[in-house]
Amino acid sequence: MNPIRTLPDVMIEPIVRAALLEDIGRAGDVTAEACIPAEARLKAQFRARKPGVVAGVACLRLAALAMDPAARIDLRVQDGDPLTPGSVIAEIEGNARALLTAERTALNLLGRLSGVASLTRTYVEAVAGTGVRIADTRKTTPGLRALEKHAVACGGGLNHRFGLDDAILIKDNHVAVCGGVEPAVRRARAMAGHLMKVELEVDGLDQLDQALALIDEGLAPDVVMLDNFSLDDLREGVRRTAGRITLEASGGVDLTTVRAIAETGVNVISVGALTHSAPVLDIGLDAV
């Protein structure tokens, strides 16, 4: 399991506040103001209604405090902890209007991120014992990438590059514009600093061979992504590479195929579904 890095509040708070502003709109929570006395108090618990892995507890804390800075918040779990139906994630107490206004934003973020963490954990468990690592992609919700990638880590997955600026990933269209694998990789290597990784996406064994041919010159990519390879071709790619380059399998990955892909001997499997198709984990806020 990965050590889970804690995201600082300074990264999370703007996202939470933007979500609250979207919900509050131009006139505030008119239902709470119409129905709830201004000084009313509320004590409530965030509880899991389905099993899973929690992620995003800081979001519920910051949402509550944004609306009621004096709210009491007792967090009962940490990101990455397992949940069972009925698990208490947090207990809060504060101004009723404020907490009810924050409720949906807190639940939206908590449920979304816990869903990502839970699906990631399912994939990680599906390849247990193979030595393969499960990684995410850039197929994230705009504005939520840092949080969703944090949730992947909470589920035991690896983070792929965070954006276009932290690693070079040469894809099929880059290869096409450059005129082939070799010129694309040479151009990338000429630009890359000593700390920047270069990854190449290939769509067939012939392109893999072209990448491997650059090893003796010290110009081969650090990672080769085998895109939509058959199981037989994945195994052959592993044989030809012989451990000289990290191999990442991508495409055609779901929970019915991931174990077989892992058993071909690749090093990493990237799964876009971790963030673009994770179901929201059912979590509720109940007055106590």
Side-chain angles (χ1 to χ4, degrees):
M1 191 71 63
N2 292 341
I4 300 171
R5 296 184 296 273
T6 301
L7 293 179
D9 285 357
V10 69
M11 290 181 63
I12 306 171
E13 192 166 9
I15 298 171
V16 172
R17 287 187 175 275
L20 284 168
L21 285 171
E22 179 180 58
D23 213 19
I24 292 169
R26 297 165 298 176
D29 184 350
V30 294
T31 306
E33 292 185 14
C35 300
I36 307 298
E39 302 304 318
R41 304 284 293 175
L42 173 67
K43 183 177 181 181
Q45 293 179 337
F46 287 90
R47 293 177 183 155
R49 293 173 177 165
K50 298 286 185 181
V53 176
V54 70
V57 294
C59 294
L60 78 85
R61 174 175 57 81
L62 291 170
L65 290 176
M67 299 308 303
D68 180 4
R72 181 187 65 81
I73 304 166
D74 179 16
L75 299 177
R76 304 287 180 85
V77 297
Q78 298 180 348
D79 281 0
D81 285 350
L83 298 173
T84 58
S87 293
V88 177
I89 297 168
E91 184 172 279
I92 62 173
E93 184 174 1
N95 179 271
R97 282 186 181 179
L99 297 185
L100 290 173
T101 299
E103 175 184 2
R104 179 43 52 195
T105 293
L107 287 173
N108 282 350
L109 290 168
L110 185 64
R112 168 67 182 154
L113 299 177
S114 297
V116 170
S118 300
L119 183 59
T120 302
R121 182 68 56 84
T122 302
Y123 272 91
V124 169
E125 291 174 348
V127 301
T130 66
V132 170
R133 305 299 301 274
I134 297 295
D136 56 26
T137 71
R138 284 169 47 241
K139 296 175 182 177
T140 55
T141 307
L144 295 184
R145 180 170 295 170
L147 292 178
E148 290 179 348
K149 282 183 171 282
H150 169 72
V152 167
C154 291
L158 289 176
N159 292 147
H160 213 283
R161 59 178 179 161
F162 270 74
L164 296 173
D165 62 341
D166 61 341
I168 294 174
L169 202 172
I170 306 166
K171 298 180 72 68
D172 53 353
N173 287 330
H174 299 106
V175 170
V177 172
C178 287
V181 165
E182 181 181 347
V185 175
R186 288 185 182 276
R187 284 174 176 270
R189 280 298 188 198
M191 175 187 170
H194 68 291
L195 294 179
M196 182 167 284
K197 295 284 188 178
V198 175
E199 180 170 9
L200 170 71
E201 176 189 271
V202 300
D203 57 17
L205 291 169
D206 58 331
Q207 288 188 330
L208 173 62
D209 287 340
Q210 293 170 50
L212 295 176
L214 295 170
I215 289 177
D216 289 343
E217 296 183 61
L219 295 176
D222 302 289
V223 183
V224 172
M225 179 191 297
L226 309 177
D227 186 45
N228 283 296
F229 275 42
S230 68
L231 293 177
D232 286 343
D233 282 353
L234 286 173
R235 282 187 283 266
E236 178 60 18
V238 170
R239 187 192 70 78
R240 294 186 188 187
T241 303
R244 293 175 292 172
I245 294 175
T246 297
L247 291 180
E248 173 186 336
S250 181
V253 183
D254 59 34
L255 286 170
T256 68
T257 62
V258 69
R259 180 78 190 190
I261 293 171
E263 289 174 346
T264 65
V266 296
N267 306 106
V268 178
I269 301 173
S270 55
V271 187
L274 300 183
T275 51
H276 72 57
S277 296
V280 171
L281 189 67
D282 191 1
I283 297 169
L285 181 67
D286 301 311
V288 294

